[in-house]
Amino acid sequence: MLPKPKKIKKIYLDHAATTPVDERVFSAMKPYFMKEFGNPSALYNLGRTAQTAVTEARKKIAGLLHALPENIIFTGSGSESDNLAILGVVKAHQHKGKHIVSLGIEHHAVLRPLEDLAKNGFAVTYVPVGKDGLVDVEAVVKAIRPETILVTIMYANNEMGAIQPIAEIGREILKYRKAHNTIYPFWHSDACQASEYLDLDVEKLHVDLMTLNGSKMYGPKGVGMLYLRRGVSIKPLILGGGQEKSRRAGTENVPAIVGLAKALELAQKDKAKESARLRELTAYFWKKIQEKIPDVRLNGPAIGESRLPNNLNVTFMNIEGEAMLLYLDEYGIMCSTGSACTSESLEPSHVLRAMGMPFEMAHGSLRFTFGHSNTRADIDYILKYLPAVVAQLREMSPMQSQKH
Amino acid sequence: MKTQKNKKIKSADVRGQKGESWLYSDVVKEHFFNPRNFMHYDEEKKFKFNATGRVGSPACGDEMVLWLKIDPKTEKIKDCRWRTFGCGSAIASTSVMSEMVKEKGGMKLDDALKITPNDIMKRLGGLPDRKIHCSVLGDKALQAAINDYFRQTKQHKRIITAGAKVIDKDLNITDHDIEEAVLEGAHTIEDVQKRLKVGVAKPEAKEAIEELIRFYWEKYFS
C-alpha cells in the first residue's frame, strides 16, 4: 500500500493556473482600497490621486513593453483582453475581410470568440502544430490570405509550455504587408503565460496587439491589459463612460492596475534569474521521474529554449490523470491534468489533442508548473510518493505497464 | 461516453466552507484510497475464475476488466477481482460493486444482473453530476462477465442483450459484442467467434456480423 508521510507538506505546482500575490505587489495596492479610493474621473484631489496612480502604472507598463502609455488599455482579465483584441479588430475591420489565422492550441479565451465568429460568416484557419506543440513560421505565413484581417497566436502555451516564434512570425507579417502594400493582417499575441519569463518588448516582437494579465505573474486576479499599437483601430466591447480613451468603459480598478504594473515590473526584472532557476528544477524533476518511473513521456518541446522554464507536462502511460491528482492531493501536492475527467466538457485537453496525442495519453497527463515558492526539496518530497502512486494505479489498470 | 443526468441523486460535488471536505463522498474516498478486490500482480496466476468481462476503452476514458468465480450449483458469485483504468469515481465504483456482489455469501447471478448504476451510486453516497457516467461501467462489466459465464456454460438464451441489437439470435451475439471484439483487435468473423468463444454463427447472421466488423474497424482504426 501507499507510504504515509510523517508530515504533509503543501506543495503548489499549479502556477500556470494562478499565482499568489507577491507581498510587494500587495503593499503597492493597499493604499488604493480604503484611503485613496477616489474615482479617477473625479476632479477633486482624491480623484486626482487615483488618476495619478493609474497614469503612473500605465507609464511603468509602457516602459517595460517599449510602448507608449496611450497604447495600454486596462481590462478586467486576460480573457477580456483576448476578446477585445479579436472582436474589437473584427468590429472595426470586417468590411475588409473575414478571415483569421490562429492555432488549435490557443486558450479558450481566444478559441471561443473564433468559434463564434466562424458561425457568423468568418473563416478561421488553425495552423497545425507539430508533435512538440510548436508552429512553423512558414506555415503561418502561408495561411495568410488577401482577406485575412488578423493573426492571433499565443506567445507561450499554458498546458505544455511551448514558446512560439512570435518575433519571427511578426517579421514575416511585416514583410507580407509590405509586399502586398496593405495594413493587414493585424498581429495579436496572448502573452499571459510569458510575462514571468520572456521578453515582452513589442518592438522586437512586432505585435500590434498583446494580451497580459495579473493573475499569472504574482499580481492580482481580475485585471488584464491589452497593448494596442498606435494606428490600429478597434471598436470597444464595453460601452459606457469614456475611460481608456473610450476603448473600455468602466471605473478603473485602481488597486488592481497599480498591482499589475508592480507585478510586471518585478517579473521582468527577475526573469533571467528565475528562468534559469526554474529550468534547472524542471530538468532535475524530469530526470528523476525518468529514473524512478517507467513508461513516461514528456509532452511539449524538449526542456530548453522553446519551453517555458517552469512547465513540466508528463504522461504516465496506462493510468488516468484525475486519479493521480487525487492521490497526490492527499500528500499535499497540487498540480493539474489534461484528462477529460476533470473538465466540465468531459473532453481531454484540446491542446494535447491538437498535438496529435491519442486520447488515452492525454487522459494520463499531469502538468506541474513551478513558481517562486518551489525548491529542490519540494521535488525530493514529491519523488518519495509519486512513484508509489503511479505503481498502485498501474497495478489497478487493465493495461499492462512495465513493472517496478 | 455520455453523461447521464439523474436529478434524483444528490450531488456530492460540494467542498466544505473550510476547504477541507472532499469533492467526493467519504465512501467514495474510502474506496478510492483503499480499493477492495482489485487484481494484484501476485494474484494474476493464482486467482481461479470462470467468467470474465471487459468493457470500455482507454480512448473513452474508462476501461474495466472483471473476473468472477461463480459457483455453478448455487449460481452465486463467490469471489471476484477487477482492474480499472479511470478516474477516482470509476475506481471507487468498481471497488464498491465488487463488494456488493461478494458480500453475504455471494450474490446470485440473477440478482447481480439487476444491479443498476443507481444502486452503485447510492452505496457510494452519491457522485458529482458529471461523474455519474463513471458508475455505469461497473454494471456493464458485471453484465459482460455474467454473459461470458452463460456463453461458457452454453446457456445462450440467458445472455442479456438489453440495449443492444441482437445479431445472432441462437448465440445472442449483439452489436456491442462485436464492437468490443473489434476494439480488442478482431478483424474477421473467426476472430470474433474466438473472442466470444462461440461456434459457427448462423449463415444469415454471418453477413451482418461481417458488416459490423467492417463498420467498427473503420470507426476505430481507419
Side-chain angles (χ1 to χ4, degrees):
Chain A
M1 276 287 139
L2 293 168
K4 288 257 182 288
K6 272 185 220 136
K7 192 168 172 275
I8 287 176
K9 200 172 163 183
K10 291 270 177 210
I11 299 176
Y12 184 74
L13 286 172
D14 205 14
H15 291 85
T18 194
T19 47
V21 174
D22 187 292
E23 194 68 51
R24 294 164 289 180
V25 171
F26 186 51
S27 302
M29 292 169 70
K30 259 188 201 164
Y32 299 97
F33 285 101
M34 295 173 76
K35 195 162 155 266
E36 307 295 350
F37 65 89
N39 186 323
S41 302
L43 291 174
Y44 40 77
N45 192 38
L46 192 66
R48 285 203 305 275
T49 309
Q51 178 67 265
T52 305
V54 172
T55 304
E56 287 306 314
R58 204 185 299 278
K59 266 195 216 160
K60 187 183 274 179
I61 293 175
L64 292 164
L65 304 186
H66 200 174
L68 296 169
E70 63 261 36
N71 299 145
I72 309 299
I73 304 169
F74 291 118
T75 67
S77 64
S79 292
E80 189 193 326
S81 300
D82 283 339
N83 273 259
L84 178 59
I86 295 165
L87 301 174
V89 163
V90 162
K91 278 183 163 195
H93 300 274
Q94 55 182 332
H95 59 288
K96 293 288 186 183
K98 293 195 166 189
H99 179 245
I100 297 173
V101 174
S102 189
L103 305 182
I105 60 165
E106 293 291 317
H107 191 273
H108 284 129
V110 166
L111 293 179
R112 291 282 177 263
L114 293 181
E115 282 163 24
D116 210 50
L117 289 169
K119 281 182 205 144
N120 290 290
F122 270 77
V124 183
T125 301
Y126 297 97
V127 182
V129 294
K131 278 193 161 40
D132 55 2
L134 294 167
V135 75
D136 179 41
V137 178
E138 214 170 289
V140 175
V141 179
K142 273 195 185 141
I144 299 172
R145 306 180 196 163
E147 65 272 23
T148 309
I149 55 168
L150 180 69
V151 177
T152 174
I153 291 177
M154 71 199 323
Y155 199 163
N157 184 270
N158 49 318
E159 289 193 33
M160 47 66 192
I163 299 170
Q164 305 300 347
I166 295 303
E168 286 87 332
I169 295 169
R171 262 199 304 277
E172 291 303 317
I173 290 174
L174 286 181
K175 272 193 219 159
Y176 176 93
R177 287 182 199 155
K178 207 169 169 196
H180 294 78
N181 195 24
T182 168
I183 59 164
Y184 301 106
F186 295 126
W187 170 220
H188 169 247
S189 183
D190 176 341
C192 289
Q193 295 288 338
S195 48
E196 276 287 304
Y197 313 105
L198 305 176
D199 192 352
L200 297 179
D201 185 326
V202 294
E203 291 307 319
K204 286 189 197 156
L205 299 174
H206 308 295
V207 286
D208 300 308
L209 306 100
M210 185 167 74
T211 291
L212 286 171
N213 67 352
S215 65
K216 314 289 189 214
M217 52 173 172
Y218 304 87
K221 296 171 182 65
V223 66
M225 55 142 286
L226 181 68
Y227 159 77
L228 180 69
R229 185 175 294 277
R230 192 165 56 173
V232 178
S233 59
I234 56 167
K235 289 253 169 75
L237 304 183
I238 299 176
L239 307 175
Q243 292 93 348
E244 302 300 304
K245 296 195 185 301
S246 294
R247 295 170 299 196
R248 201 272 190 180
T251 300
E252 295 87 342
N253 185 350
V254 181
I257 288 169
V258 169
L260 179 74
K262 186 71 187 170
L264 189 63
E265 178 189 43
L266 295 171
Q268 287 288 303
K269 184 162 74 70
D270 295 338
K271 67 173 188 285
K273 214 172 121 198
E274 186 65 356
S275 294
R277 190 183 78 88
L278 293 180
R279 179 158 294 140
E280 200 238 305
L281 279 188
T282 44
Y284 171 71
F285 191 26
W286 175 229
K287 182 173 150 267
K288 286 286 172 190
I289 287 174
Q290 287 171 287
E291 274 172 31
K292 288 173 183 280
I293 306 173
D295 287 342
V296 289
R297 309 262 171 92
L298 180 69
N299 301 322
I303 292 172
E305 289 304 307
S306 290
R307 186 183 189 105
L308 282 177
N310 75 324
N311 173 295
L312 197 67
N313 188 317
V314 178
T315 288
F316 298 86
M317 300 297 286
N318 302 332
I319 51 177
E320 191 276 333
E322 192 225 35
M324 279 187 273
L325 213 91
L326 295 176
Y327 272 124
L328 292 175
D329 188 41
E330 279 295 285
Y331 294 110
I333 302 160
M334 294 164 263
C335 59
S336 76
T337 168
S339 168
C341 289
T342 54
S343 73
E344 285 296 334
S345 59
L346 293 172
E347 287 292 326
S349 154
H350 70 281
V351 173
L352 300 181
R353 293 286 297 138
M355 289 157 65
M357 190 178 291
F359 278 95
E360 56 269 38
M361 280 184 65
H363 285 308
S365 68
L366 285 188
R367 178 189 74 177
F368 305 95
T369 43
F370 291 73
H372 290 176
S373 63
N374 300 122
T375 62
R376 197 179 264 246
D378 292 346
I379 298 174
D380 292 332
Y381 174 88
I382 299 165
L383 288 165
K384 273 195 231 165
Y385 308 108
L386 182 63
V389 165
V390 173
Q392 163 136 357
L393 285 167
R394 280 185 176 163
E395 190 170 16
M396 274 191 260
S397 167
M399 283 111 81
Q400 291 292 308
S401 310
Q402 288 176 48
K403 282 171 199 172
H404 300 250
Chain B
M1 242 154 262
K2 287 198 180 96
T3 312
Q4 293 194 349
K5 288 267 171 195
N6 191 334
K7 290 289 167 203
K8 276 177 209 156
I9 292 143
K10 200 171 165 276
S11 164
D13 194 351
V14 182
R15 281 188 194 270
Q17 293 296 316
K18 291 172 196 150
E20 287 304 313
S21 86
W22 190 248
L23 178 67
Y24 296 123
S25 72
D26 287 346
V27 187
V28 176
K29 191 180 171 181
E30 166 59 24
H31 275 271
F32 175 61
F33 287 109
N34 301 296
R36 328 285 202 258
N37 305 314
F38 76 86
M39 181 72 96
H40 289 268
Y41 286 139
D42 58 6
E43 293 181 304
E44 276 171 2
K45 293 204 173 77
K46 284 183 273 176
F47 186 76
K48 295 265 182 285
F49 62 92
N50 50 6
T52 178
R54 178 187 282 262
V55 291
S57 83
C60 18
D62 301 287
E63 174 167 314
M64 190 181 293
V65 184
L66 186 64
W67 294 268
L68 299 179
K69 187 173 163 187
I70 299 161
D71 181 342
K73 281 191 197 111
T74 60
E75 287 207 331
K76 280 183 177 177
I77 298 168
K78 301 312 285 181
D79 205 356
C80 69
R81 291 291 181 274
W82 56 266
R83 273 193 181 142
T84 288
F85 168 94
C87 60
S89 32
I91 288 171
S93 300
T94 328
S95 174
V96 98
M97 185 266 292
S98 74
E99 211 174 55
M100 287 162 80
V101 299
K102 262 181 74 173
E103 65 195 1
K104 295 173 194 157
M107 199 177 253
K108 288 197 106 165
L109 292 186
D110 285 337
D111 294 327
L113 284 169
K114 285 179 199 144
I115 292 180
T116 65
N118 243 334
D119 298 330
I120 295 172
M121 216 143 36
K122 265 186 212 151
R123 180 103 169 212
L124 283 171
L127 279 176
D129 267 358
R130 66 200 167 90
K131 292 287 185 177
I132 289 170
H133 73 285
C134 300
S135 66
V136 175
L137 216 55
D139 78 309
K140 272 180 81 186
L142 188 57
Q143 190 178 305
I146 295 173
N147 277 350
D148 180 50
Y149 177 77
F150 290 150
R151 197 162 271 139
Q152 308 263 358
T153 51
K154 309 271 183 260
Q155 305 184 67
H156 296 299
K157 292 290 174 214
R158 289 182 74 188
I159 291 170
I160 304 285
T161 53
K165 194 176 152 207
V166 180
I167 306 298
D168 186 312
K169 275 186 184 159
D170 288 346
L171 300 174
N172 250 335
I173 296 172
T174 69
D175 53 351
H176 286 181
D177 293 326
I178 295 164
E179 184 175 5
E180 296 294 336
V182 170
L183 275 171
E184 288 193 353
H187 211 151
T188 63
I189 195 159
E190 287 77 24
D191 293 340
V192 171
Q193 285 168 342
K194 215 163 125 190
R195 195 218 165 231
L196 297 174
K197 301 180 187 77
V198 294
V200 185
K202 273 184 164 180
E204 57 265 41
K206 220 174 156 178
E207 206 174 313
I209 293 173
E210 275 171 343
E211 198 178 303
L212 278 167
I213 293 171
R214 274 197 302 277
F215 172 78
Y216 288 119
W217 195 262
E218 269 168 32
K219 181 175 167 186
Y220 293 109
F221 299 105
S222 70

